[in-house]
């Protein structure tokens, strides 16, 4: 089966084409609507790349170019020849809790939820509509970041705000990165020869956005992101948990409106806000150059991460594994080391040599560690392709 996976952002489209669950091509359309827009396609078999620097006005033009580069590279005769298209959707809201085939209801719901996911859902919708237009016979499947967290109990997803806000606006914790948390936890269970339905884990997805998830019997029971992807851990440019009262204070002190406050919390905070760098590679370099704010950012990051892992260890009846994944989780050995060292008394014992030399999927705990500690590279696109294949096979 040939499955195309699309991750449509406001000015980009990430795409990956799978044949029988093996990636055969991938690429990126960037800076849509900007004079510097471009598209690049990489053939996974040959490693050859095709690139075009051209004005790409909108998502429709972007998808047209993806099709043209597929044809030019000989990878695909036409978009209509694929068996299905899987779309990554950040927010499914309260009604879209299962990955599903796209229909009018699904389109209307994604649109409705745009009010609480304005940076993501409108772009996802544009991607789906463009695909329907370009290849009308190809079934489209939506895969929601929020779906894995549908099992959160009410006492975990409710905020202690007036109940009306939940009743009227559905303000509650939704959680994100579900595709990744479910993929890496299933993989860890498989490595340990355990059934995912009987497996308890804490997974830490640490990319530009970052979240931790508590998984009991293969199901999400709590997660650090909330109503939006802002809550929880300190991230690249997002503040994560803060005292909510700081925001009205800052609004008054700096005369900022709600949109400006939103930008402070989402774009000017986190690692970047503390030390001026949001890429961990730069932060590690800066620490070596003696930059004390970079040291502070690293210490804050690991301390807060350890607190979340510790709290999830407390609510799980037992923990089989801790999993690190995504750009920082997979590559920044110092983050794994500093975080696990704080958790040693709970039975998380990291093998520093294995941790320093890890490459790809690796068990990095000592044989005596009560909790197995893994690095498991995430593959959200593969997971979306598998889910898409599964759903269209049942059609
Ligand atoms: P996202 O998909 O959320 O954009 P990624 O999962 O690709 O993010 O993670 C991106 C982050 O991973 C970068 O900001 C960088 O800080 C970190 N990262 C990537 N490679 C390394 C590395 N070799 N060492 C340390 N950090 C890394």
């Amino acid at each position: 089966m040939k499955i195309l996976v699309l991750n449509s952002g406001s000015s980009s489209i990430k795409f990956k084409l799978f044949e029988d669950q093996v990636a055969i091509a991938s690429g990126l359309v960037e800076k849509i609507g900007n004079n510097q827009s471009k598209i690049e396609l990489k053939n996974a078999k040959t490693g050859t790349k095709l690139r075009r620097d051209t004005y790409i006005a909108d998502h429709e033009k972007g998808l047209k170019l993806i099709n043209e580069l597929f044809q030019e590279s000989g990878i695909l005769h036409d978009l209509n020849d694929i068996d299905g298209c899987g779309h990554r959707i950040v927010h499914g809201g309260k009604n879209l809790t299962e990955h599903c085939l796209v229909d009018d209801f699904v389109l209307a719901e994604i649109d409705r939820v745009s009010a609480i996911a304005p940076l993501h859902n409108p772009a996802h919708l544009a991607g789906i509509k463009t695909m329907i237009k370009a290849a009308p016979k190809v079934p489209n499947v939506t895969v929601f970041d929020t779906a894995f967290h549908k099992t959160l109990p009410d006492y975990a997803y409710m905020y202690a705000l007036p109940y009306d806000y939940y009743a009227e606006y559905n303000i509650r914790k939704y959680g994100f990165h579900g595709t990744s948390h479910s993929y890496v936890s299933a993989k860890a269970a498989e490595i340990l020869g355990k059934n995912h339905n009987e497996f308890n884990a804490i997974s830490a997805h640490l990319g530009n956005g970052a979240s931790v998830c508590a998984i009991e019997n293969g199901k999400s029971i709590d997660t650090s992101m909330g109503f939006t992807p802002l809550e929880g851990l300190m991230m690249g440019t997002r503040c994560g948990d803060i005292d909510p009262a700081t925001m009205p204070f800052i609004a008054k002190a700096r005369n900022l409106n709600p949109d400006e406050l939103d930008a402070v919390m989402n774009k000017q905070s986190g690692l970047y806000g503390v030390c001026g760098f949001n890429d961990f590679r730069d932060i590690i370099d800066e620490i070596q150059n003696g930059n004390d704010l970079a040291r502070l950012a690293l210490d804050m990051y690991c301390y807060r991460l350890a607190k979340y892992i510790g709290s999830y260890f407390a609510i799980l009846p037992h923990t089989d594994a801790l999993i690190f994944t995504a750009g920082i989780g997979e590559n920044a050995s110092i983050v794994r080391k500093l975080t696990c060292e704080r958790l040693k008394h709970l039975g998380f014992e990291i093998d520093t040599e294995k941790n320093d030399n890890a490459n790809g999927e690796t068990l990095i705990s000592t044989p005596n560690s009560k909790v197995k500690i893994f690095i498991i590279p995430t593959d959200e696109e593969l997971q979306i392709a598998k889910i898409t294949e599964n759903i269209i096979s049942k059609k």
Side-chain angles (χ1 to χ4, degrees):
M1 259 192 188
K2 281 198 172 116
I3 304 289
L4 177 65
V5 174
L6 291 185
N7 183 353
S8 309
S10 53
S11 63
S12 68
I13 309 174
K14 275 191 206 157
F15 60 96
K16 210 165 195 177
L17 183 66
F18 291 84
E19 184 161 15
D20 298 330
Q21 299 183 8
V22 176
I24 54 172
S26 63
L28 178 64
V29 182
E30 270 182 286
K31 300 192 176 162
I32 294 174
N34 178 301
N35 285 334
Q36 289 161 344
S37 49
K38 60 181 182 213
I39 172 169
E40 191 168 271
L41 169 91
K42 185 177 174 197
N43 183 324
K45 283 184 197 154
T46 61
T48 48
K49 287 183 183 168
L50 287 176
R51 175 179 162 149
R52 271 200 217 156
D53 292 85
T54 174
Y55 179 63
I56 304 170
D58 50 25
H59 287 75
E60 196 170 334
K61 181 79 193 302
L63 195 65
K64 198 159 169 268
L65 282 168
I66 293 174
N67 199 12
E68 278 177 32
L69 292 202
F70 276 154
Q71 290 168 347
E72 201 176 308
S73 63
I75 288 168
L76 199 66
H77 174 63
D78 188 79
L79 269 185
N80 280 289
D81 294 346
I82 62 173
D83 298 282
C85 181
H87 299 262
R88 182 216 175 186
I89 311 292
V90 166
H91 214 315
K94 76 169 172 122
N95 294 324
L96 299 173
T97 55
E98 303 280 348
H99 311 309
C100 60
L101 279 166
V102 170
D103 60 18
D104 288 345
F105 173 75
V106 172
L107 290 175
E109 272 300 296
I110 295 173
D111 191 24
R112 201 179 60 80
V113 176
S114 290
I116 53 175
L119 298 179
H120 297 105
N121 276 29
H124 300 330
L125 205 56
I128 303 172
K129 287 185 174 167
T130 304
M131 189 62 203
I132 294 173
K133 206 166 159 192
K137 290 195 189 116
V138 171
N140 288 282
V141 169
T142 40
V143 177
F144 303 100
D145 273 26
T146 44
F148 183 57
H149 306 298
K150 63 177 178 283
T151 44
L152 255 59
D154 54 4
Y155 51 80
Y157 70 64
M158 284 300 291
Y159 292 119
L161 287 166
Y163 193 84
D164 277 4
Y165 295 151
Y166 169 68
E168 200 166 328
Y169 308 111
N170 301 308
I171 292 178
R172 50 160 282 182
K173 182 186 276 287
Y174 288 98
F176 300 89
H177 291 142
T179 315
S180 177
H181 289 302
S182 103
Y183 175 81
V184 297
S185 59
K187 196 95 189 175
E190 188 188 312
I191 296 169
L192 292 174
K194 294 205 169 192
N195 192 327
H196 195 212
N197 297 334
E198 293 163 6
F199 187 62
N200 290 3
I202 299 168
S203 68
H205 176 111
L206 312 175
N208 281 316
S211 69
V212 194
C213 183
I215 297 159
E216 184 177 1
N217 296 326
K219 294 189 174 70
S220 171
I221 59 156
D222 205 350
T223 190
S224 58
M225 282 179 167
F227 178 60
T228 74
L230 180 61
E231 190 183 345
L233 298 174
M234 178 176 173
M235 306 180 214
T237 60
R238 294 180 214 153
C239 58
D241 296 339
I242 51 164
D243 179 345
T246 52
M247 282 302 123
F249 179 88
I250 292 169
K252 284 180 201 151
R254 294 275 174 103
N255 196 22
L256 301 182
N257 65 35
D259 287 342
E260 289 166 332
L261 280 182
D262 204 63
V264 170
M265 293 186 289
N266 276 294
K267 299 192 174 138
Q268 297 159 23
S269 298
L271 295 163
Y272 174 77
V274 173
C275 73
F277 297 91
N278 65 326
D279 189 310
F280 243 102
R281 287 163 287 204
D282 294 334
I283 291 172
I284 293 163
D285 286 350
E286 284 298 311
I287 293 171
Q288 276 156 4
N289 295 336
N291 181 336
D292 195 52
L293 287 181
R295 188 275 313 155
L296 173 64
L298 171 70
D299 281 345
M300 286 172 68
Y301 191 92
C302 299
Y303 175 73
R304 286 161 170 252
L305 176 57
K307 282 209 295 188
Y308 259 104
I309 295 169
S311 70
Y312 289 167
F313 181 82
I315 58 163
L316 285 167
H318 70 270
T319 305
D320 295 309
L322 166 66
I323 305 154
F324 288 96
T325 193
I328 297 164
E330 291 166 31
N331 296 299
S333 58
I334 184 79
V335 169
R336 299 189 298 261
K337 178 172 174 278
L338 293 180
T339 305
C340 291
E341 277 175 358
R342 289 192 178 277
L343 300 163
K344 194 170 174 198
H345 64 292
L346 297 177
F348 294 76
E349 251 184 65
I350 194 165
D351 180 322
T352 44
E353 215 175 297
K354 282 187 191 153
N355 182 47
D356 287 344
N357 299 317
N359 184 12
E361 196 176 288
T362 317
L363 178 68
I364 53 167
S365 45
T366 64
N368 288 334
S369 180
K370 287 195 192 129
V371 180
K372 302 271 184 255
I373 309 171
F374 285 102
I375 300 168
I376 303 205
T378 193
D379 198 337
E380 287 158 292
E381 290 92 355
L382 173 62
Q383 180 78 341
I384 293 172
K386 284 182 179 172
I387 293 167
T388 303
E389 239 186 75
N390 195 14
I391 290 177
I392 59 178
S393 309
K394 288 188 193 142
K395 201 158 71 93

